[in-house]
């Protein structure tokens, strides 16, 4: 089959994935501590071309693009003062840790509250952990100093949903905890809309390329060799 | 590729929930003792895209749920009515709901029923009940900061101010009345709360931030519908391929 068809269709699939990710980003424009999945397109490995008779190196050719995962944009979101003493935000790098039924997970969403035991929990009722991994007791005045919360540096953070990330904790993160604030979503809705538009344009271009290649193939099949 | 359509739709539902909450808070801006409802947002599960299983993960939108009620002190306004009571500090009045269960409220608009008992404006009696001696009128009632009720300098009872460990987990029963739940913890005596006679605590709804939230939710709704139209154009284009 024509290599151009493969290149165009790989490009279209990549644009489709990007559109789906942008759609998810946009839906989370109000989720505190959300990090946008900026999809990074990368080209497939180059193919080397050789002369089949002499084996002589001719050159190289690219075969389109692919979307690679792990492209979460961890940039600092804007701080939003809420006045709630149990809302926390990290300025700088690092994650809060919460103990879920599926093990310890990490989050940048510090919208916490206390449970019936007076222990600091996230909105799903999971305990927030201190730097040494123990639950945190809310004081009698209904507050917790920011320093009581653990901030963990995370290797290979990957989004899981419910505001949480998986990853390997590698000690203390460099960020500082601020109380009475939430970190806003990292999504810039305007930018996401523009990117959706440009993904659509690229997708349309891919479709037209396929159409053109199809036409060329049709002409070569029906006209080459026919006597005018 | 349907993931994107569903994510956008989930985002629109989130915006709708936020609009509902905002409307409820704004509608109760003038309800004494009303505590603004707080929303928590979260993203949903991530999956590997069917289009390209080897690589990219794609999320499935967002959701919003009520995570509690603002514990900020509402502003306290003088009314001069002897049975208007404001709470200063974190706690609730304990009242008897029509079904006999205990309710908690910060709405301090109290009145007297036919039997001379102090009740809320919806007829729920204070717990434990406080009954005025026969012939006594509301204007003879004086209530001290600790809740002690006296008529003509004679002590007749004490208003209990209570609290729970996790007020965010109280169950709203309507009319600013809440019930304790297992998640909120048991009802215990509140500490450091004072009662102010002749005053009402206004709702703690912050109108400015509610209106900002309403704008945000409106925009999110619009953008969600744009995203759906983008996604459906993808579908249309894919369908023209031959």
């Amino acid at each position: 089959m024509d290599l151009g068809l493969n290149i165009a269709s790989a490009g279209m699939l990549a644009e489709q994935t990007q559109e789906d990710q942008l759609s998810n980003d946009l839906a989370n424009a109000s989720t505190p501590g959300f990090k946008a999945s900026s999809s990074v397109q990368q080209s497939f490995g180059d193919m080397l071309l050789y002369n089949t008779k002499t084996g002589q190196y001719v050159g190289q050719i690219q075969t389109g693009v692919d979307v690679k995962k792990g492209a979460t944009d961890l940039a600092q979101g804007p701080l939003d003062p809420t006045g709630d003493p149990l809302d926390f935000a990290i300025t700088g790098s690092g994650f809060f840790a919460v103990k879920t039924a599926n093990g310890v997970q990490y989050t940048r969403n510090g919208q916490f509250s206390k449970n019936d035991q007076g222990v600091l929990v996230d909105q799903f009722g999971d305990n927030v952990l201190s730097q040494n991994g123990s639950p945190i007791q809310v004081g009698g005045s209904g507050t917790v100093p920011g320093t009581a919360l653990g901030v963990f540096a995370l290797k290979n953070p990957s989004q899981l949903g419910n505001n949480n990330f998986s990853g390997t904790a590698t000690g203390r993160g460099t960020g500082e905890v601020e109380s009475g604030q939430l970190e806003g979503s990292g999504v810039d809705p305007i930018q996401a809309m523009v990117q959706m538009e440009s993904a659509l344009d690229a997708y349309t271009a891919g479709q037209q390329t396929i159409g053109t290649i199809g036409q060329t193939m049709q002409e070569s099949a029906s006209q080459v060799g026919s006597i005018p | 590729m349907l993931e994107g359509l569903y994510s956008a739709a989930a985002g629109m539902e989130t915006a709708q929930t936020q609009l509902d909450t905002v409307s409820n808070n704004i509608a109760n801006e003038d309800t004494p003792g009303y505590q603004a409802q707080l929303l928590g947002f979260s993203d949903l599960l991530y999956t590997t895209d069917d289009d390209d299983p080897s690589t990219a993960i794609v999320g499935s939108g967002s959701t919003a749920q009520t995570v509690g009620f603002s514990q900020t002190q509402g502003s306290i306004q003088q009314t001069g009515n002897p049975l208007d009571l404001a709470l200063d500090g974190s706690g609730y009045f304990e009242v008897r709901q029509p079904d006999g269960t205990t309710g908690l409220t910060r709405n301090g608009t109290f009145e007297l029923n036919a039997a001379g008992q102090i009740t809320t404006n919806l007829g729920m009696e204070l717990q434990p009940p406080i009954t005025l001696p026969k012939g006594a009128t509301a204007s003879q009632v004086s209530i001290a900061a600790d809740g002690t009720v006296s008529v003509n300098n004679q002590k007749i009872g004490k208003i209990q101010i209570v609290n729970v460990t996790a007020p965010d987990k109280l169950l709203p029963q309507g009319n600013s009345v809440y019930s304790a739940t297992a998640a909120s913890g048991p009802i215990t005596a509140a500490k450091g709360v004072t009662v102010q006679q002749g005053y009402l605590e206004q709702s703690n709804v912050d109108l400015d931030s509610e209106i900002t939230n309403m704008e945000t939710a409106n925009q999110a709704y619009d953008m969600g519908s744009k995203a759906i139209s983008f996604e459906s154009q993808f579908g249309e284009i894919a369908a023209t391929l031959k």
Side-chain angles (χ1 to χ4, degrees):
Chain A
M1 198 158 109
D2 194 293
L3 184 59
L5 275 181
N6 282 337
I7 296 176
S9 70
M12 286 177 82
L13 288 178
E15 294 305 332
Q16 207 163 65
T17 302
Q18 190 182 20
E19 193 81 347
D20 289 346
Q21 288 183 329
L22 287 165
S23 194
N24 181 56
D25 285 353
L26 211 51
N28 283 290
S30 297
T31 308
F34 179 78
K35 299 298 169 201
S37 339
S38 59
S39 66
V40 172
Q41 295 186 354
Q42 93 176 30
S43 54
F44 286 119
D46 292 343
M47 285 201 315
L48 300 181
L49 302 180
Y50 296 93
N51 185 317
T52 50
K53 284 193 181 136
T54 62
Q56 194 198 351
Y57 175 68
V58 177
Q60 54 190 29
I61 192 167
Q62 291 198 335
T63 55
V65 293
D66 184 23
V67 178
K68 284 291 161 208
K69 80 167 195 182
T72 306
D73 179 5
L74 293 174
Q76 174 79 43
L79 288 198
D80 188 8
T82 62
D84 186 329
L86 296 182
D87 281 348
F88 298 92
I90 298 176
T91 53
S93 70
F95 290 80
F96 299 115
V98 290
K99 194 169 172 51
T100 73
N102 301 317
V104 175
Q105 296 178 353
Y106 302 89
T107 183
R108 291 279 293 193
N109 182 344
Q111 192 176 19
F112 301 139
S113 62
K114 58 179 174 173
N115 69 6
D116 60 322
Q117 305 297 316
V119 171
L120 194 67
V121 292
D122 69 7
Q123 56 176 290
F124 304 99
D126 294 326
N127 287 352
V128 181
L129 303 178
S130 68
Q131 200 68 50
N132 63 20
S134 56
I136 300 162
Q137 197 72 32
V138 179
S141 53
T143 59
V144 172
T147 49
L149 280 74
V151 179
F152 297 85
L154 209 54
K155 211 170 129 190
N156 301 328
S158 173
Q159 282 158 313
L160 294 170
N162 287 355
N163 300 323
N164 290 352
F165 288 77
S166 63
T168 317
T170 54
R172 200 188 180 289
T174 52
E176 297 291 329
V177 179
E178 309 263 349
S179 67
Q181 318 228 32
L182 284 178
E183 181 185 359
S185 168
V187 176
D188 177 348
I190 312 279
Q191 211 182 358
M193 285 264 92
V194 172
Q195 286 173 343
M196 284 190 97
E197 179 76 60
S198 82
L200 181 62
D201 291 346
Y203 193 74
T204 314
Q207 174 236 13
Q208 282 165 2
T209 309
I210 288 180
T212 309
I213 295 171
Q215 225 173 346
T216 316
M217 287 165 92
Q218 201 183 357
E219 280 172 15
S220 55
S222 62
Q223 291 175 15
V224 173
S226 71
I227 299 160
Chain B
M1 72 152 279
L2 281 174
E3 290 92 341
L5 265 183
Y6 288 129
S7 304
M12 287 177 81
E13 271 177 49
T14 304
Q16 182 67 57
T17 307
Q18 192 178 16
L19 278 177
D20 291 348
T21 307
V22 167
S23 330
N24 192 30
N25 285 342
I26 291 179
N28 282 292
E29 201 231 341
D30 288 329
T31 309
Y34 176 81
Q35 295 181 308
Q37 209 177 335
L38 298 176
L39 274 188
F41 298 90
S42 54
D43 53 357
L44 297 171
L45 279 183
Y46 286 75
T47 50
T48 308
D49 198 340
D50 329 325
D51 300 330
D52 195 356
S54 62
T55 50
I57 56 164
V58 174
S60 43
S62 60
T63 186
Q65 55 176 357
T66 302
V67 293
F69 309 94
S70 169
Q71 299 300 312
T72 319
Q73 175 77 43
S75 64
I76 291 182
Q77 274 188 15
Q78 187 170 17
T79 63
N81 183 339
L83 291 181
D84 279 350
L85 305 176
L87 290 182
D88 191 358
S90 179
Y92 296 87
F93 298 107
E94 196 174 348
V95 297
R96 186 175 186 275
Q97 298 190 71
D99 63 0
T101 58
T102 299
L104 304 179
T105 184
R106 281 181 76 91
N107 183 345
T109 325
F110 290 100
E111 54 193 37
L112 293 175
N113 68 9
Q117 279 183 328
I118 301 182
T119 69
T120 68
N121 56 347
L122 296 162
M124 302 179 199
E125 302 108 23
L126 275 172
Q127 289 278 85
I130 293 175
T131 312
L132 265 53
K134 269 212 165 66
T137 61
S139 57
Q140 293 167 304
V141 176
S142 79
I143 297 167
D146 67 349
T148 304
V149 184
S150 319
V151 173
N152 296 332
N153 293 326
Q154 196 123 33
K155 188 182 161 187
I156 60 162
K158 190 173 174 193
I159 297 174
Q160 292 242 21
I161 311 301
V162 295
N163 208 347
V164 291
T165 315
D168 279 336
K169 306 291 184 305
L170 288 171
L171 185 66
Q173 301 284 352
N175 303 311
S176 305
V177 178
Y178 301 90
S179 289
T181 61
S184 71
I187 297 171
T188 54
K191 285 182 210 125
V193 187
T194 56
V195 181
Q196 298 188 23
Q197 187 182 19
Y199 292 83
L200 278 181
E201 182 195 14
Q202 303 303 303
S203 81
N204 62 7
V205 173
D206 175 355
L207 210 50
D208 288 346
S209 79
E210 294 298 338
I211 286 176
T212 310
N213 288 344
M214 183 157 70
E215 270 309 309
T216 314
N218 262 330
Q219 281 174 9
Y221 198 81
D222 283 354
M223 287 189 291
S225 90
K226 279 248 174 60
I228 286 181
S229 108
F230 274 131
E231 290 281 348
S232 70
Q233 288 182 59
F234 267 70
E236 280 167 25
I237 292 168
T240 63
L241 286 173
K242 46 186 180 190

